[in-house]
Every structure is written in structure tokens, then in C-alpha cells.
Amino acid sequence: MSAPALAPARRRRRPGAARRLLRQPIGVGALVVLAVLLLTALVSLVWTPYDPMAASSRLWDGPSAAHWFGTDQIGRDIFSRVMAGSRVAVQVAVLSAVLAAVVGLAFGALSTLTTRWVREPVAILVDVLIAFPTLLIAMMLAATFGGSLAVVVVAVGIGYGVGASRVLRSEFRGVAGADYVLAAEAAGLTRTRILTRHILPNIASAFIVQLSLTMALSLLAEAGLSYLGYGAPTSVISWGRMLAEMQDHVTTHPLAAFWPGAAIAVTVLALNLLGDALREATDPTLGTSRSARRRGSESAGTLSLGA
């Protein structure tokens, strides 16, 4: 009888980016925090324990079963106001990220995929815009059009979008010189098709990370602008506005200012950790290099024990 034929070796497929992200405890924890934030914002549209704007006679009550986070200087329920402020946080983060994505991709593509007469002026314009801090742009817009969430979104989206375009520009250059892009150009594909089919998918990892960082920075910018009086108006509840209202009472009632500050800190931390987890999940070289270092440390430990 002839020997049985050897079965062909199966190729091990690399898990997808979503599965690699879910294997990271930090990434899963960040997703849980952001999911709770989004759920809180949606629930606050239809229900809060108390009216966030309604005053009462219970001034500066501490945390209790009736008021989980206590009350503020005019008797408003702080927990209800933190819930209502989550809506502004989600709006500013998402809209700023969308605008920053448009600005970053537009400037990144124009500064690398066009002719020299377009690339150089765009690069100069990017350098000029980066020289202006985002908060300064927001103050200029607020002085002209008045303080509002739209001013915050536009200023943050443009400011951080221009900053992201510098990162994306190097990604565009690296991908634009790849062999498969040159082959697509030789095959006669249009610039738009090459951009959407070959270039954008290959810069997605850097692009997603920049968006998560932009969302985190937009929350800090909104809080800072509202604290300075250039962000959300007094009729809109935001975490930054709550901190501004508590600034005169921090020494006497620090816990009342703690809750909105903690909400900002936890959300920003979750977005930053999610950006790191997304970068590792979408960039295969990071996982390969870390596993190689892990195997090298394990082998070195084995050799030392054998010695």
C-alpha cells in the first residue's frame, strides 16, 4: 500500500482589525466607556432624573439617593446636568472629527498628489494655518460671530484638520510611490479611482488614529473655550460651562466641580487609549515587532536559565 499523501499545510489567516482590537483589554475598555457616553447622550434626550435647568431650594446638597452627584449653587441636580452635557460632548467630538477629516484629507491630497504649482502653495498655507493656535482661531471667530457650538466645531475642525494633514501628507507620499500605485497609473486609471481604491485604504490606519485624537482634543478645546466664555452659550449645558460656573466655588465645594472635570478626563482618556488600540490593530507591523521582541525576551530568559 502506498503511503498516504501528506495534507497541504493550511495558511493561518491574520485576524481582522476589529478582532485584533477586541483582543486588547485597553481597547475594549475604551469602547465600553465611549459606548456608555453615547448611551447617556441618547437617554438624556428623553429622560434625566431632574430638569437640568430647574433651580430648587436645596443648595449645595452632597451626594445622596435623591441627588447622586449633589446640587449646585442654585439647587440644580448635577447628575442631570452631567447627563445633558454629554450631548454637547458627542456633538462637538463627532462634528469636529468630520470637519477635520475633510480638511485633513483635502490638504493632504492636494499637497502630494497634484502638480508642483499646487503642492507648494498648499504646503505654505498649511504651515501658515498651523502657526495660529486653535484657541486663537476660535476666539477670533467668536469675536466676529459670537460664541456658539458652531464656532467651536469650525475652529477645532479646521485647526486640528490642518495639523492632521501634515501627518497624512507623509502617508500620502509613502503610498503614492508604491509599486501598485505606479502600476495603476500605467494601466490608465484615473486619479480619483487611484485615490479611492489604492491610496485611501492604505492610509486608513493613520487616518483613524488622527480622528480619535482629534475627537479627544476637541473635547478639551470645547471645555477650555466654554471656560473662557467663547464656547457654548449660557443656555446650553456643557461640561466646560459647568466648570466655568464652579470656578468661584472650587475651594468651598470641590466635589461639585469634580464631576464635570472627571467626565472630561475619562472621555479624553478613553479616546486616546482607543486611538492607541486602533493604531496597533490596524498596523500589522506593530503587532509583528512586539511579538518578535516577546519571543526574543522569552528565548533570552530560557538561555539564562539553561546557563
Side-chain angles (χ1 to χ4, degrees), residues 1-306:
M1 295 179 63
S2 60
L6 295 176
R10 294 183 179 179
R11 296 182 60 185
R12 297 179 62 183
R13 292 185 177 180
R14 180 177 175 82
R19 186 174 297 179
R20 293 196 299 271
L21 176 62
L22 294 178
R23 289 179 178 178
Q24 303 180 41
I26 293 179
V28 174
L31 286 175
V32 170
V33 171
L34 296 178
V36 171
L37 172 66
L38 180 59
L39 181 62
T40 302
L42 294 176
V43 171
S44 67
L45 292 172
V46 295
W47 176 85
T48 54
Y50 298 89
D51 184 355
M53 301 296 292
S56 69
S57 59
R58 305 185 63 173
L59 309 183
W60 297 121
D61 275 4
S64 62
H67 301 277
W68 291 357
F69 290 174
T71 60
D72 61 8
Q73 69 272 24
I74 60 175
R76 295 172 298 189
D77 183 62
I78 297 178
F79 181 74
S80 300
R81 292 179 63 79
V82 171
M83 287 185 64
S86 64
R87 298 198 299 262
V88 173
V90 172
Q91 291 175 9
V92 170
V94 173
L95 295 178
S96 299
V98 171
L99 182 57
V102 174
V103 173
L105 286 176
F107 280 119
L110 290 174
S111 60
T112 54
L113 304 180
T114 54
T115 61
R116 175 186 174 187
W117 303 105
V118 178
R119 288 198 305 266
E120 293 185 355
V122 169
I124 294 174
L125 177 61
V126 168
D127 293 336
V128 171
L129 291 176
I130 288 179
F132 289 91
T134 302
L135 293 179
L136 179 60
I137 296 175
M139 291 179 184
M140 293 170 59
L141 293 176
T144 305
F145 301 103
S148 65
L149 290 180
V151 168
V152 176
V153 170
V154 171
V156 172
I158 293 177
Y160 294 129
V162 172
S165 69
R166 299 193 69 176
V167 178
L168 295 177
R169 182 169 59 187
S170 61
E171 298 290 332
F172 271 112
R173 287 178 178 175
V175 175
D179 294 337
Y180 54 87
V181 174
L182 298 178
E185 292 178 350
L189 295 182
T190 61
R191 288 270 182 176
T192 303
R193 189 170 180 82
I194 292 174
L195 178 65
T196 57
R197 186 173 181 179
H198 296 285
I199 295 180
L200 290 182
N202 286 281
I203 66 169
S205 60
F207 180 62
I208 293 173
V209 172
Q210 288 300 313
L211 286 185
S212 64
L213 295 178
T214 298
M215 295 174 73
L217 293 173
S218 67
L219 289 180
L220 291 176
E222 186 278 326
L225 290 171
S226 297
Y227 184 83
L228 295 174
Y230 293 98
T234 54
S235 59
V236 177
I237 302 173
S238 73
W239 295 337
R241 174 62 61 184
M242 292 177 66
L243 286 176
E245 294 175 353
M246 297 294 176
Q247 63 178 338
D248 295 333
H249 311 283
V250 172
T251 56
T252 56
H253 300 89
L255 194 59
F258 168 79
W259 301 115
I264 295 172
V266 171
T267 306
V268 171
L269 178 61
L271 286 169
N272 284 323
L273 293 178
L274 179 62
D276 293 338
L278 285 172
R279 180 177 57 184
E280 185 171 346
T282 55
D283 190 350
T285 59
L286 290 178
T288 303
S289 61
R290 290 187 180 184
S291 61
R293 289 197 301 268
R294 191 180 302 113
R295 288 194 300 269
S297 62
E298 291 175 356
S299 62
T302 304
L303 289 175
S304 62
L305 290 175

